[in-house]
Amino acid sequence: MKRVKKESISVNMNSIKFILNKKAVSIDLSQGPYGPTTTVLEYLRSQPHLKGVKEGCAEGDCGACTLVLGELQPNGEVCYRNFDSCLVFLPMLHGKELITVEGIGDSSCLHPVQQAMVDTDGSQCGYCTPGFIMSMYYLYNKNQKATKEDIKDCLTGNLCRCTGYRSIMAAAEQSCVQEKIEHNSLSSQSKELLESMEIIDLAIDTNQQSYYQPRSLDSALSLLASKPNAQIVNGATDLGLAVTKQKALLESLIDISCIAKLKEIDIKKEGVEYGAGVNLEDLRLHCADYFPALQAMLNVFGSRQIRYLGTLGGNIASASPIGDMPPVLMAYEAVYTLVSQSGERKVDSREFVTGYRQTLMKENELIKSIFIPFPKENHHLKSYKISKRKDLDISTVSAGFQLKLKEGLVEDIALVYGGMAAQTKRADNAEAHLRNKAWTRTNVEEAMSLLSKDFTPISDARSGEEGRKLMARNLLLKFWNETQYE
C-alpha cells in the first residue's frame, strides 16, 4: 500500500469568513445563535434585510432558496454556481462569496434578469421568483450565450405553481440569450475580495457539536484517524436532509469539500481518474466525450443546483440501493481508490457494496478517486433510469449494462440493476444464460424470464414488486434493441 505523506496544519478556530453581497462577513459559530449545522437559508432568513430567499420544501426540490456561490479556483479565476441554500451548512461558505437576490440590483436599477421577469409577466404570487431570478442570474453571468436547452436545464430545479414556465422561459431567453455584458461581470471585483481573505483549516467546537474543514487530504485523514465516529460531509445533499427533515443533531462532522486533491481530473491512456470530490455537474460536462452512458444518467440526476453540490464519491459512499451512479460505474468496471493514513488500496466497483448501506470501506478511509476505463471496441454500454417524473426524482428502477461481443457471440455481459434489491446488484442467472450465446432476441427473452430468479424486489410508494420486475425485463429488451444499431 502507498503511504500518505504527513504535513503540519494551521487551523482557524470557530470563526468563518465569507463575502456576502460584496461585503466581508465574519461569524463566530461557537457562541450562538448559529451553529455548525445551521443552514445558509436559516441564517439569511434571520437577517433583517435578506429575506428574499424563501423556504419551500427544505430538501432541494423546489428551488425557492436558490442562491449563487462564488469560489476562487487554483487558476485564479472565480467559479460561480447556483445551489439550494436549504442543504448547505453555514461553515461551507468559509472563504467563498455568497450572492443573494438583494445583491444583484436595486429599486432604481434592476438587473437585466429582473427586468425581463417584469417585462414578460413572469411573476404572480412571487414566492418562487427570487429562486428563479438567482438561477437566471447564474446563467446570465456564464461566458457563453445560453441556448434553449441550457435554459431548460438551468430552471429544472425551480418550481413554479402559479405563473407557469412559458413567461419565465421568455424572461430567461430575453435576458440570457445574448453576449455577456462586460460591466456585469462578477469576477474582477470578487477575485480581489476573495484573494484578500487568508483561509486555512477550520475547526469549530461548541458544547454539542464539532465541525472540521481541512484544506488538504493529509489533514482530513489525520482528523478521521483521531475521530473515527465523525461523519463525512461534502455536498450535504444527504446529511442536509437529516438536519432539515429529521431535526438530527450531527455531533461531529469532517467537511472535505475544500480539498483540491479530491477535485482533480486526470485523463490517462487507459481511462479517466476522477477525484471523489468532483461535483456531479462538472462530471456531467466532462464525461460527455468519454463515457456517454455515464452522462446519460447524469442528465436525469436531480437539478443543476443539486448536481453542483453532490459529488461522485458521496453518491458511491452512501451505498444506497437506488443510487444513480453505482449501476453505471459497475457496468464500466470502474475501480475505486480508498485512502487512509496507512496508505491507499484499490477496490473493484463491482465488489465495493456488500449489503444494505454497507461497503468495503474501513472507518478510517475515504474514497480518494474513481478510475473509469475507456470501453474497448465491440463493448456496448448503456444506462437507464425509470422514475415517476423525468427530472428531480428518485429511481424506481435503474440499470447499467455492458455487453462484450466477439464474432456475434456474447463474450461477457454485466447486467447491473438498482432498485431491485437491498443493494445495487448484478443479474447473475440472466448473465450466465447469455454468455457464449448469440446476441439474439430469443436468447434475450429467455434471459428476461430468469430475472425473477435474480431479484425479489419490494413494493413501496414508487412501484409494486411485479411492476419492478416488468421494468427490469423491459430494460434488458430495450438494451438488446438499441445495440442492434451500433
Side-chain angles (χ1 to χ4, degrees):
M1 296 177 72
K2 182 181 176 182
R3 291 285 172 178
V4 177
K5 183 181 177 181
K6 295 183 179 181
E7 59 186 47
S8 59
I9 305 296
S10 299
V11 180
N12 181 71
M13 295 297 294
N14 298 324
S15 293
I16 65 169
K17 297 183 290 184
F18 60 97
I19 306 300
L20 174 57
N21 294 334
K22 305 302 181 185
K23 296 181 180 179
V25 174
S26 179
I27 305 173
D28 187 341
L29 295 179
S30 67
Q31 302 298 317
Y34 312 114
T37 54
T38 298
T39 67
V40 174
L41 172 61
E42 290 176 309
Y43 164 72
L44 292 173
R45 292 290 301 170
S46 73
Q47 303 301 301
H49 303 297
L50 295 174
K51 298 187 187 294
V53 64
K54 300 293 190 292
E55 178 177 332
C57 64
E59 57 186 40
D61 277 348
C62 73
C65 66
T66 300
L67 300 174
V68 170
L69 192 69
E71 185 172 4
L72 193 63
Q73 302 300 300
N75 64 4
E77 298 299 318
V78 181
C79 177
Y80 290 94
R81 60 189 183 185
N82 58 333
F83 73 103
D84 292 315
S85 59
C86 66
L87 295 177
V88 174
F89 301 139
L90 201 49
M92 296 170 73
L93 296 180
H94 188 51
K96 300 180 178 66
E97 177 188 15
L98 181 65
I99 305 172
T100 75
V101 71
E102 292 86 359
I104 70 171
D106 54 54
S107 58
S108 62
C109 182
L110 295 179
H111 188 275
V113 298
Q114 294 173 313
Q115 188 62 56
M117 284 287 271
V118 174
D119 295 342
T120 61
D121 298 317
S123 178
Q124 190 167 321
C125 81
Y127 195 87
C128 70
T129 302
F132 273 100
I133 290 292
M134 294 311 295
S135 284
M136 290 164 59
Y137 177 74
Y138 151 81
L139 191 62
Y140 178 91
N141 282 284
K142 291 180 71 66
N143 289 326
Q144 68 274 15
K145 291 181 181 180
T147 66
K148 194 163 188 176
E149 288 305 310
D150 290 333
I151 293 170
K152 286 182 179 179
D153 182 64
C154 189
L155 299 184
T156 291
N158 294 84
L159 177 65
C160 175
R161 293 191 180 274
C162 53
T163 306
Y165 284 86
R166 181 174 296 178
S167 54
I168 298 172
M169 287 284 293
E173 289 175 359
Q174 177 179 310
S175 58
C176 298
V177 183
Q178 57 180 293
E179 294 289 349
K180 184 174 179 180
I181 300 173
E182 186 60 34
H183 71 264
N184 283 302
S185 175
L186 297 169
S187 58
S188 56
Q189 182 181 357
S190 300
K191 182 179 177 181
E192 293 179 7
L193 290 169
L194 292 171
E195 286 179 337
S196 68
M197 294 191 297
E198 183 182 358
I199 304 300
I200 55 178
D201 285 26
L202 177 67
I204 302 167
D205 192 13
T206 72
N207 291 331
Q208 294 182 307
Q209 294 177 289
S210 60
Y211 189 105
Y212 306 93
Q213 188 185 88
R215 317 296 288 192
S216 69
L217 182 58
D218 178 74
S219 178
L221 296 176
S222 177
L223 282 167
L224 192 57
S226 62
K227 305 177 187 301
N229 295 323
Q231 292 176 275
I232 302 298
V233 61
N234 199 326
T237 55
D238 198 5
L239 279 179
L241 295 178
V243 173
T244 62
K245 292 301 181 183
Q246 302 170 17
K247 308 303 179 185
L249 178 67
L250 307 179
E251 295 182 359
S252 183
L253 292 173
I254 299 175
D255 175 4
I256 60 173
S257 64
C258 296
I259 300 175
K261 184 69 177 176
L262 297 180
K263 301 178 184 181
E264 294 178 351
I265 298 176
D266 185 11
I267 302 173
K268 302 179 178 181
K269 181 180 179 181
E270 303 83 7
V272 181
E273 189 100 23
Y274 290 102
V278 173
N279 72 64
L280 296 176
E281 176 63 9
D282 287 347
L283 176 65
R284 185 183 74 89
L285 298 175
H286 184 273
C287 74
D289 295 331
Y290 304 103
F291 310 107
L294 177 59
Q295 192 195 44
M297 185 65 80
L298 287 164
N299 285 340
V300 288
F301 188 110
S303 63
R304 191 173 297 197
Q305 290 101 310
I306 295 296
R307 293 195 300 268
Y308 268 136
L309 292 176
T311 63
L312 182 57
N315 195 263
I316 295 167
S318 70
S320 168
I322 52 174
D324 287 339
M325 292 297 98
V328 65
L329 291 174
M330 290 169 68
Y332 270 110
E333 300 181 83
V335 176
Y336 307 153
T337 298
L338 309 183
V339 62
S340 68
Q341 281 198 312
S342 300
E344 298 178 3
R345 63 188 180 109
K346 308 287 186 182
V347 174
D348 192 316
S349 60
R350 297 180 178 182
E351 301 173 357
F352 179 71
V353 179
T354 59
Y356 179 70
R357 299 281 187 173
Q358 296 178 333
T359 72
L360 290 174
M361 286 181 66
K362 300 174 183 177
E363 65 178 12
N364 62 343
E365 286 184 320
L366 295 174
I367 301 176
K368 180 184 178 183
S369 63
I370 297 89
F371 176 76
I372 309 177
F374 295 131
K376 297 179 181 178
E377 189 176 354
N378 295 325
H379 287 196
H380 305 269
L381 285 117
K382 297 286 183 182
S383 66
Y384 304 100
K385 176 177 178 176
I386 298 176
S387 53
K388 288 193 172 185
R389 61 180 186 262
K390 175 181 174 290
D391 297 299
L392 274 170
D393 204 2
I394 296 171
S395 296
T396 301
V397 174
S398 61
F401 297 153
Q402 182 183 125
L403 169 68
K404 301 178 182 179
L405 287 176
K406 186 175 182 179
E407 298 179 353
L409 297 180
V410 178
E411 183 179 21
D412 198 12
I413 190 166
L415 306 174
V416 189
Y417 285 91
M420 293 293 291
Q423 65 187 83
T424 306
K425 186 175 178 291
R426 293 176 67 176
D428 296 327
N429 288 290
E431 291 178 5
H433 180 79
L434 289 167
R435 289 191 186 96
N436 301 314
K437 289 187 174 70
W439 184 238
T440 64
R441 177 163 183 152
T442 298
N443 288 331
V444 167
E445 288 180 344
E446 290 171 356
M448 288 165 60
S449 67
L450 295 174
L451 290 174
S452 293
K453 291 185 177 181
D454 288 311
F455 301 105
T456 307
I458 63 170
S459 296
D460 59 15
R462 297 185 187 93
S463 178
E465 176 185 350
E466 291 305 316
R468 282 191 162 92
K469 288 181 178 179
L470 178 61
M471 294 175 206
R473 293 195 295 269
N474 286 346
L475 287 180
L476 179 51
L477 184 60
K478 183 177 183 179
F479 180 54
W480 172 83
N481 186 60
E482 290 183 350
T483 57
Q484 302 309 299
Y485 305 101
E486 293 184 345

